[in-house]
């Protein structure tokens, strides 16, 4: 992982050849311990930032560094800023980037004694190796762009066409047909129309069912009302056959009632 280089960072980066993220060397007054671990770094998938270091004179610990930045990125990859005594920053194996002000991917700011010239001791073998590495990097970038182009084309084809595969039971015959997006949209419209018609039929059936239920309830209520009227009329008719009160007794009935009362008094005594 990237980050700011310190003694703690260096102690945990032994044997690391790939750095993901920005690698920052800043505010160094002295060279920290285990700085030799930086020699194993070959790729920095981010920026290399060397800034505000008063203790750097000749920094040659990136001898294995080959690539800096993102492959398909043309932004600044190396920033060297405010290093008053930095004289040399050799990166002999760095591909596709030269440590010069003319390079758009490099920013050199306020490094008064920094020498960016290529050493005269560079051999033909080193130059050939650098050229091969540049070709390899360019090839890798071309492959990346080609793959992205293929992905875009594939996604476009998938959006435009849908495949329907029919496999017969024996599995020895496969028929593949392609449907255009227009046909697919037409099928979807027909399915939506069919679903809407089905919903309407269900609604009509439900409404009809409720009509029958309400009609039956009304008939039952009507029958009960008629029965109640008949009962009331019958009660009134029976009541009208009785003589109106108070009721009067004839002489014989009064005598019988008197004798019964006297007998009851005798029994009580």
């Amino acid at each position: 992982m990237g980050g700011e280089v310190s003694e703690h960072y260096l102690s945990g980066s032994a044997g690391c050849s790939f750095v993901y993220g920005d690698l920052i060397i800043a505010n160094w007054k002295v060279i920290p311990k285990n700085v030799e671990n930086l020699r194993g770094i070959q790729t920095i998938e981010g920026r290399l930032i060397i800034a505000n270091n008063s203790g750097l004179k000749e920094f040659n610990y990136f001898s294995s560094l080959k690539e800096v930045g993102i492959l398909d990125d043309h932004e600044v990859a190396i920033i060297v800023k405010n290093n008053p005594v930095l004289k040399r920053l050799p990166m002999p194996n760095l591909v596709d980037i030269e440590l010069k002000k003319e390079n758009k991917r490099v920013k050199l700011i306020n490094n008064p004694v920094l020498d960016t010239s290529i050493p005269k001791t560079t051999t033909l073998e080193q130059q050939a190796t650098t050229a091969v590495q540049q070709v390899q990097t360019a090839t890798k970038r071309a492959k990346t762009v080609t793959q992205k182009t293929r992905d875009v084309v594939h996604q476009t084809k998938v959006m435009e066409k849908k495949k329907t595969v029919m496999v017969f039971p024996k599995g020895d015959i496969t028929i593949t047909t392609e449907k255009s997006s227009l046909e697919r949209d037409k099928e979807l419209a027909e399915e939506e129309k069919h679903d809407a018609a089905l919903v309407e039929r269900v609604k009509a059936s439900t409404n009809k069912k409720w009509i029958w239920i309400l009609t039956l309830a009304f008939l039952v209520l009507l029958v009960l009302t008629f029965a109640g009227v008949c009962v009331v009329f019958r009660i009134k008719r029976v009541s009208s056959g009785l003589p109106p009160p108070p009721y009067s007794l004839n002489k014989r009935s009064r005598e019988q009632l008197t004798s019964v009362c006297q007998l009851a008094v005798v029994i009580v005594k």
Side-chain angles (χ1 to χ4, degrees):
M1 293 293 293
E4 186 170 351
V5 179
S6 60
E7 289 187 2
H8 177 72
Y9 180 91
L10 292 170
S11 63
S13 62
C16 179
S17 62
F18 181 87
V19 175
Y20 181 77
D22 293 346
L23 187 67
I24 303 171
I25 297 174
N27 303 314
W28 282 14
K29 295 181 180 180
V30 294
I31 302 296
K33 296 179 181 180
N34 300 319
V35 70
E36 292 288 338
N37 291 342
L38 295 177
R39 293 189 185 277
I41 297 176
Q42 298 181 8
T43 302
I44 300 175
E45 190 76 10
R47 297 178 300 174
L48 173 60
I49 301 174
I50 303 175
N52 304 321
N53 298 287
S54 60
L56 292 185
K57 292 184 179 180
E58 183 165 349
F59 197 82
N60 58 358
Y61 299 101
F62 288 121
S63 56
S64 300
L65 186 62
K66 297 179 181 179
E67 297 177 352
V68 180
I70 303 173
L71 288 178
D72 57 350
D73 191 9
H74 296 285
E75 299 295 330
V76 175
I78 299 177
I79 300 175
V80 183
K81 181 179 180 180
N82 298 333
N83 300 284
V85 295
L86 180 62
K87 294 182 179 180
R88 290 186 51 77
L89 187 61
M91 301 179 192
N93 293 314
L94 189 61
V95 178
D96 202 31
I97 299 178
E98 292 183 0
L99 200 64
K100 292 185 177 182
K101 291 183 178 181
E102 296 80 9
N103 196 322
K104 294 181 179 179
R105 302 193 67 194
V106 176
K107 274 192 176 182
L108 301 177
I109 302 173
N110 193 22
N111 305 285
V113 296
L114 180 61
D115 182 11
T116 59
S117 62
I118 300 176
K120 295 181 179 180
T121 57
T122 302
T123 62
L124 292 176
E125 183 179 355
Q126 290 175 334
Q127 293 178 359
T129 302
T130 302
V132 171
Q133 291 174 348
Q134 290 177 352
V135 171
Q136 291 176 348
T137 302
T139 303
K140 189 183 295 185
R141 289 181 178 176
K143 288 182 179 179
T144 302
V145 174
T146 303
Q147 184 61 40
K148 288 186 176 181
T149 304
R150 289 177 180 174
D151 293 341
V152 172
V153 172
H154 176 69
Q155 292 176 0
T156 304
K157 289 182 178 180
V158 170
M159 292 296 293
E160 290 180 351
K161 297 181 180 180
K162 301 292 183 180
K163 283 190 174 182
T164 302
V165 179
M166 297 180 293
V167 181
F168 288 86
K170 292 183 179 180
D172 54 350
I173 300 176
T174 302
I175 299 177
T176 303
T177 59
E178 294 184 352
K179 296 182 179 180
S180 64
S181 58
L182 183 61
E183 293 176 349
R184 182 61 180 169
D185 293 340
K186 186 177 179 180
E187 290 181 357
L188 290 175
E190 291 178 354
E191 290 177 0
E192 291 178 357
K193 186 177 180 180
H194 175 73
D195 293 340
L198 181 61
V199 170
E200 291 297 329
R201 286 198 297 270
V202 171
K203 287 183 178 179
S205 177
T206 304
N207 293 336
K208 189 175 181 180
K209 181 179 179 181
W210 278 108
I211 290 173
W212 278 106
I213 292 174
L214 293 175
T215 302
L216 182 61
F218 176 75
L219 292 176
V220 171
L221 182 62
L222 186 63
V223 171
L224 292 176
T225 303
F226 180 75
V229 171
C230 291
V231 170
V232 172
F233 180 76
R234 181 66 178 173
I235 292 173
K236 287 184 177 181
R237 185 176 180 183
V238 172
S239 299
S240 62
L242 296 175
Y247 301 105
S248 59
L249 299 175
N250 54 23
K251 183 177 180 181
R252 185 178 178 180
S253 297
R254 286 197 299 271
E255 290 176 354
Q256 290 178 354
L257 181 60
T258 301
S259 61
V260 170
C261 291
Q262 290 175 354
L263 180 61
V265 171
V266 172
I267 293 173
V268 170
K269 289 181 178 181

